[in-house]
Amino acid sequence: MLAARGREILMSFESSAARYGWKVFMNSRGLTFIEIAIVLALLSVLVISIMPSFINFKEDAIKASEEGVVGAVRSAVHLHYADTCLKSTCVFPNNLDSAGIAACDQNNRCFESVLDNGGIKDSNWEKTGNFTYKGPTDKIYVYNNVEGSFNLQ
């Protein structure tokens, strides 16, 4: 009974498809090589047109990360100054860390004296002198312990 009902529905669908010109669609066996090639070509054009924006996202993220670290260091320096003012003598930190002159990493953490969690270990940052640092975008920042500034050289 159920199989007969299924055949009726299928025959009804096939007659409707034929009536509306879908018979070609019903008998097709798949896509031809040319159709697949056209779809791949269109997808390639879309990917190529989108790719430059993804490259810019990476550059923007690196710049934003650098600006975030610079802002955090500046804030931490001024928080240290405010904290020492509460204890009677207002002074900026003598230095930002005890790191050696090298790339920042797990063993050579930069800004550890002023930043929580032991400073940064991002190897894109590099300590280039006692008070100078090179950021991921190759900008050089200088710390002035008299003024408490951390600015571009």
Side-chain angles (χ1 to χ4, degrees), residues 55-67:
I55 293 169
N56 289 339
F57 284 145
K58 182 179 178 183
E59 291 171 5
D60 292 345
I62 291 170
K63 287 178 188 175
S65 172
E66 181 174 316
E67 291 170 6

Side-chain angles (χ1 to χ4, degrees), residues 1-17 26:
M1 179 78 177
L2 190 58
R5 180 71 180 136
R7 271 182 272 167
E8 285 177 31
I9 292 172
L10 184 60
M11 288 173 51
S12 171
F13 179 74
E14 286 177 349
S15 66
S16 296
M26 294 292 295

Side-chain angles (χ1 to χ4, degrees), residues 5 10 16 35-36 64 79 85-86 89 92 94-95 126 146:
R5 180 71 180 136
L10 184 60
S16 296
E35 291 168 331
I36 292 173
L79 282 173
C85 286
L86 292 174
T89 311
F92 291 106
N94 287 333
N95 53 36
E126 181 180 348
V146 176

Side-chain angles (χ1 to χ4, degrees), residues 40-103:
L40 289 176
L42 290 173
L43 287 174
S44 299
V45 168
L46 287 173
V47 167
I48 289 170
S49 65
I50 292 172
M51 203 57 120
S53 63
F54 284 119
I55 293 169
N56 289 339
F57 284 145
K58 182 179 178 183
E59 291 171 5
D60 292 345
I62 291 170
K63 287 178 188 175
S65 172
E66 181 174 316
E67 291 170 6
V69 169
V70 170
V73 169
R74 288 175 180 159
S75 295
V77 165
H78 290 285
L79 282 173
H80 180 274
Y81 182 82
D83 189 43
T84 59
C85 286
L86 292 174
K87 296 175 183 172
S88 75
T89 311
C90 298
V91 293
F92 291 106
N94 287 333
N95 53 36
L96 299 177
D97 53 41
S98 60
I101 297 174

Side-chain angles (χ1 to χ4, degrees), residues 22-31:
W22 294 354
K23 187 129 178 108
V24 173
F25 176 76
M26 294 292 295
N27 290 333
S28 67
R29 294 183 182 233
L31 299 173

